[in-house]
Amino acid sequence: LVLDAYPSPYPNPAWLPNDPSAKWCGLRARDFSSSHRILFDLLIHCVQFHSYRMKYFMMRYNVACKLVAHSFLPPSSREMQLSAVRLVKTIVAVKDDFYHRHIVKLDILRPLFAAFAAIEPNRRDNLLASSLYDLLFFITSERIKSLIFYVVENYEGVLKDLRFVDVFQRLRVRYDQLVDGAAGASSASSSSGGGKGSAGGGLV
């Protein structure tokens, strides 16, 4: 009911301004405060416990896309970035194909990977990198096909030289398995179709 009655404060098109120096929710991005933290917590709670209404609210107003993009605009705090990643993982964990397609369509993870790419390779054991590893591990272990394809096909160059963890290797193996499985299914389908055609020809 709250989402129906009071949608205007957050999904306004001007909600997350393009100007990184502009204020968001009354505060500058670098001044991550309790109000920002409450907003993230509220969104995460709604995604988890009000899945039906929240799904269409998030998609209709591109809430996650705007929030993640703004959270990684400079000058933003690391806590703000980590909260954005936490929101993304919550959305992914719902295991709803609508959300997954929404992430792929709007390339919502692009700011996260861009921030990761900017980290020096020998320092990719920090909290932001760890949160990305955790997200990728979840996507891999849960075999979320659309997101596996999305990450590998768009961000392999960013992840292939990871030194600290084997998360991308696991992701790549899962990707190859999915590709091989799809190719095998397609081949089997073609063979089955050809067999039926031959049988039909014999009857004639």
Side-chain angles (χ1 to χ4, degrees):
L1 294 177
V2 173
L3 295 178
D4 291 339
Y6 302 103
S8 57
Y10 297 123
N12 189 301
W15 173 43
L16 298 177
N18 293 324
D19 180 4
S21 66
K23 291 186 177 182
W24 176 60
C25 292
L27 293 167
R28 296 183 186 278
R30 63 175 174 269
D31 301 324
F32 188 95
S33 68
S34 59
S35 62
H36 292 92
R37 191 175 298 107
I38 290 170
L39 175 60
F40 277 107
D41 289 343
L42 177 61
L43 289 171
I44 288 171
H45 175 83
C46 289
V47 168
Q48 290 175 324
F49 298 104
H50 303 280
S51 57
Y52 179 78
R53 290 178 181 271
M54 194 61 181
K55 176 171 64 177
Y56 291 101
F57 176 80
M58 295 282 282
M59 293 183 183
R60 179 178 179 183
Y61 299 109
N62 295 333
V63 173
C65 182
K66 294 177 183 178
L67 185 57
V68 172
H70 191 78
S71 296
F72 284 89
L73 284 175
S76 63
S77 69
R78 183 53 51 87
E79 186 178 0
M80 191 172 183
Q81 295 174 349
L82 293 174
S83 294
V85 177
R86 187 163 60 95
L87 173 62
V88 170
K89 185 179 177 183
T90 302
I91 292 171
V92 171
V94 173
K95 299 181 184 178
D96 189 313
D97 287 340
F98 283 98
Y99 272 133
H100 299 162
R101 289 196 295 269
H102 185 68
I103 290 172
V104 174
K105 180 180 178 180
L106 299 183
D107 197 10
I108 290 176
L109 299 187
R110 179 177 57 81
L112 201 168
F113 283 108
F116 177 81
I119 302 173
E120 295 179 13
N122 61 344
R123 299 184 63 186
R124 288 180 175 171
D125 57 348
N126 61 19
L127 283 174
L128 179 60
S130 296
S131 66
L132 174 61
Y133 301 153
D134 182 58
L135 175 61
L136 295 179
F137 179 79
F138 182 83
I139 290 172
T140 304
S141 61
E142 296 298 323
R143 303 187 179 191
I144 304 175
K145 182 178 178 179
S146 58
L147 295 183
I148 291 173
F149 275 79
Y150 163 65
V151 171
V152 173
E153 293 177 356
N154 290 279
Y155 299 106
E156 181 174 10
V158 177
L159 298 169
K160 64 181 181 181
D161 295 326
L162 288 179
R163 302 176 183 178
F164 299 106
V165 294
D166 63 350
V167 63
F168 180 71
Q169 287 75 13
R170 292 172 180 267
L171 188 68
R172 181 70 208 201
V173 169
R174 187 73 71 198
Y175 172 84
D176 291 337
Q177 290 173 345
L178 291 171
V179 171
D180 292 342
S186 177
S187 177
S189 177
S190 298
S191 299
S192 176
K196 290 180 180 179
S198 300
L203 290 174
V204 174

